[in-house]
């Protein structure tokens, strides 16, 4: 039976990425060696890193003055590196979920943190709006897509201080106006590559302004100056990331991705609204994520939760159990998720409705 992979992360990747990675594990770039056993300083791998960096810039249409780095440590290392490199006295954070809270926790090691708004009071089921950003903060940090709660900021905000965004789970899902951001960062394992690598897009002029000394590995400048090769990079995940970037370009780029993602998400949200058994957990329609679709059973049908999970699993649906802090279900429909799989899930929801 065909499996439909709705896992939140690590998650579905394009078949193109998986096949090419499998091939390179056996024979990398005609070297007769595995990509896992060649030097990262060999010309074949340097070409991979250079091409991945260049394509990253091309697809996101990154203006000059910005640098792209690939680092180990996932998204979480940046929770610490961002304040280490940017926070002099005070930083502003928008608290929209678990990952935002973790970023806030790290920033507090380095200075004052102003929480400009929080949706914690309602279990993060909405994105706070109309908050005030302190003009004297060094930056405002946001999480554009809240992977666990299924809310998303799909507009590039206008703020008067540098904007820093965790885009772990919606990078490459839509075109982004990079010029509105100081740093964009994330882990790769939601929309780009296997886990083990993270990325950061950094506006260079923001660096070098804090007074504290920064340990070499945690200094963005180290990695910019060494082209993500200061130490041994996560070679295999970077190779896979390049495959996904090539695939994205071939599909028509981020405009096309956004179109597909909106179409898939709209189909699924429409079914959640129509189906008597289910409801969305996100309070306002405009906050609904097009990457992670969270839903629960309607009150009267609460008892059917386990049965639906088992029923959908028997039909090949994988990874739709909701995060423990929300419950219910979460269908992650990242870039690589074909529309056909979303339709298969909708069929299962309709079949289950008929049974009850
Ligand atoms: C998964 C996730 C993280 C954590 O990523 P790691 O690579 O495990 O550190 C951070 N932020 C968001 C939005 C995520 O979805």
């Amino acid at each position: 039976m065909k499996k439909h992979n709705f896992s939140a992360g690590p998650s579905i990747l394009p078949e193109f990425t998986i096949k090419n990675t499998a091939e390179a594990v056996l024979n990398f770039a005609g070297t007769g060696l595995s990509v896992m056993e060649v030097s990262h300083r060999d010309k074949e791998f340097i070409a991979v890193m250079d091409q991945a960096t260049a394509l990253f810039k091309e697809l996101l249409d990154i203006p000059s003055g910005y640098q792209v780095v690939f680092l180990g440590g996932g998204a979480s290392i940046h929770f610490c590196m961002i304040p280490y490199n940017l926070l002099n006295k005070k930083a502003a954070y928008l608290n929209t979920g678990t990952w935002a809270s973790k970023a806030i926790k790290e920033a507090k090691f380095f200075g004052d943190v102003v929480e400009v708004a929080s949706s914690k009071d309602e279990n993060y089921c909405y994105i706070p709006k109309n908050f005030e950003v302190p003009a004297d903060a060094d930056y405002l940090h946001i999480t554009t897509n809240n992977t666990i709660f299924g809310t998303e900021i799909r507009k590039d905000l206008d703020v008067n201080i540098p904007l820093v965004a965790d885009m772990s789970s919606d990078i490459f899902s839509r075109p982004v106006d990079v010029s509105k951001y100081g740093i964009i960062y994330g882990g790769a394992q939601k929309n780009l590559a296997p886990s083990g690598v993270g990325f950061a897009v950094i506006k260079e002029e923001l660096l070098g302004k804090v007074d504290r000394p920064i340990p070499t590995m945690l200094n963005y400048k180290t990695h910019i100056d060494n082209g993500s090769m200061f130490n041994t990079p996560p070679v295999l995940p970077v190779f896979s990331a390049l495959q996904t970037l090539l695939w994205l370009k071939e599909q028509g780029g981020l405009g096309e991705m956004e179109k597909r993602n909106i179409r898939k998400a709209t189909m699924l949200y429409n079914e959640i609204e129509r189906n008597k058994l289910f409801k969305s957990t996100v309070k306002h329609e405009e906050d609904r994520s097009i990457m992670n679709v969270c839903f629960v059973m309607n009150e009267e049908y609460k008892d059917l939760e386990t049965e639906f999970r088992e029923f959908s699993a028997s039909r090949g649906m994988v990874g739709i159990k909701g995060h423990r802090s929300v419950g219910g279900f979460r269908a992650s429909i990242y870039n690589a998720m074909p529309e056909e799989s979303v339709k298969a899930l909708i069929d299962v929801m309709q079949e289950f409705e008929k049974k009850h």
Side-chain angles (χ1 to χ4, degrees):
M1 181 182 47
K2 181 171 168 47
K3 298 273 188 195
H4 302 279
N5 185 5
F6 291 93
S7 303
S11 41
I12 188 167
L13 288 169
E15 203 177 282
F16 179 86
T17 300
I18 293 170
K19 279 199 169 136
N20 289 358
T21 303
E23 205 170 287
V25 165
L26 296 173
N27 181 2
F28 169 52
T31 56
L33 299 171
S34 171
V35 67
M36 299 188 295
E37 57 177 2
V38 297
S39 168
H40 59 294
R41 310 273 176 207
D42 280 355
K43 66 176 191 310
E44 288 85 2
F45 185 74
I46 290 174
V48 169
M49 184 60 96
D50 287 349
Q51 205 188 350
T53 307
L55 263 178
F56 205 104
K57 288 183 175 168
E58 183 186 328
L59 283 162
L60 273 175
D61 199 13
I62 299 178
S64 64
Y66 288 80
Q67 299 289 345
V68 173
V69 294
F70 294 101
L71 305 179
S76 298
I77 193 72
H78 298 279
F79 294 167
C80 148
M81 285 176 82
I82 284 156
Y84 225 139
N85 285 264
L86 301 189
L87 198 167
N88 248 322
K89 289 219 159 54
K90 188 200 278 188
Y93 278 71
L94 179 63
N95 186 0
T96 53
T98 309
W99 298 114
S101 303
K102 290 191 174 177
I104 289 168
K105 177 172 178 242
E106 297 307 299
K108 286 181 175 167
F109 286 110
F110 299 93
D112 294 337
V113 173
V114 179
E115 230 179 79
V116 292
S118 169
S119 46
K120 190 170 182 201
D121 57 339
E122 293 187 53
N123 201 29
Y124 299 114
C125 72
Y126 68 99
I127 301 280
K129 312 216 171 69
N130 305 317
F131 46 83
E132 228 168 278
V133 181
D136 60 344
D138 295 313
Y139 60 87
L140 169 69
H141 179 283
I142 61 171
T143 312
T144 49
N145 186 59
N146 298 284
T147 321
I148 293 174
F149 300 94
T151 59
E152 187 175 14
I153 302 169
R154 282 205 285 132
K155 260 192 7 215
D156 302 309
L157 303 184
D158 287 299
V159 285
N160 294 326
I161 57 175
L163 181 61
V164 173
D166 176 356
M167 292 198 187
S168 292
S169 51
D170 60 351
I171 189 74
F172 299 121
S173 67
R174 65 171 176 95
V176 166
D177 182 353
V178 175
S179 71
K180 292 194 171 169
Y181 297 85
I183 294 184
I184 292 170
Y185 72 95
Q189 67 275 18
K190 314 281 168 40
N191 231 352
L192 186 61
S195 64
V197 70
F199 58 84
V201 179
I202 304 155
K203 192 175 195 175
E204 256 193 302
E205 65 175 38
L206 297 179
L207 301 178
K209 292 188 179 163
V210 291
D211 303 326
R212 72 178 67 85
I214 305 173
T216 312
M217 273 296 282
L218 296 177
N219 193 332
Y220 281 123
K221 197 150 184 343
T222 303
H223 303 288
I224 290 171
D225 291 349
N226 291 281
S228 305
M229 295 270 217
F230 170 72
N231 68 323
T232 318
V235 170
L236 189 72
V238 170
F239 179 87
S240 299
L242 171 59
Q243 306 314 306
T244 302
L245 295 166
L246 289 165
W247 177 82
L248 284 168
K249 185 171 173 176
E250 210 213 44
Q251 300 303 301
L254 305 192
E256 175 62 22
M257 278 300 127
E258 181 179 41
K259 239 191 281 168
R260 292 186 197 176
N261 288 329
I262 289 175
R263 197 162 59 221
K264 286 183 288 178
T266 304
M267 282 169 50
L268 191 47
Y269 283 117
N270 284 347
E271 175 59 20
I272 291 165
E273 302 246 298
R274 189 212 58 76
N275 194 307
K276 69 175 185 201
L277 303 179
F278 304 103
K279 66 174 181 196
S280 164
T281 58
V282 178
K283 193 169 171 182
H284 309 296
E285 213 175 307
E286 76 267 17
D287 295 341
R288 288 174 178 172
S289 169
I290 59 170
M291 294 279 96
N292 309 97
V293 178
C294 294
F295 56 104
V296 290
M297 309 293 319
N298 260 319
E299 250 352 284
E300 319 88 278
Y301 300 102
K302 269 270 171 267
D303 298 346
L304 296 176
E305 189 171 310
T306 310
E307 194 187 324
F308 179 69
R309 196 175 308 126
E310 285 162 3
F311 181 74
S312 61
S314 77
R315 295 290 197 279
M317 305 298 138
V318 177
I320 66 162
K321 189 174 190 296
H323 189 273
R324 61 187 181 281
S325 51
V326 183
F329 310 98
R330 169 176 51 173
S332 298
I333 52 173
Y334 297 118
N335 280 338
M337 168 71 60
E339 193 169 307
E340 172 215 336
S341 290
V342 176
K343 285 193 175 134
L345 175 59
I346 291 170
D347 286 347
V348 167
M349 291 163 79
Q350 294 180 346
E351 209 184 317
F352 194 69
E353 184 189 29
K354 286 203 189 90
K355 276 179 62 173
H356 296 279

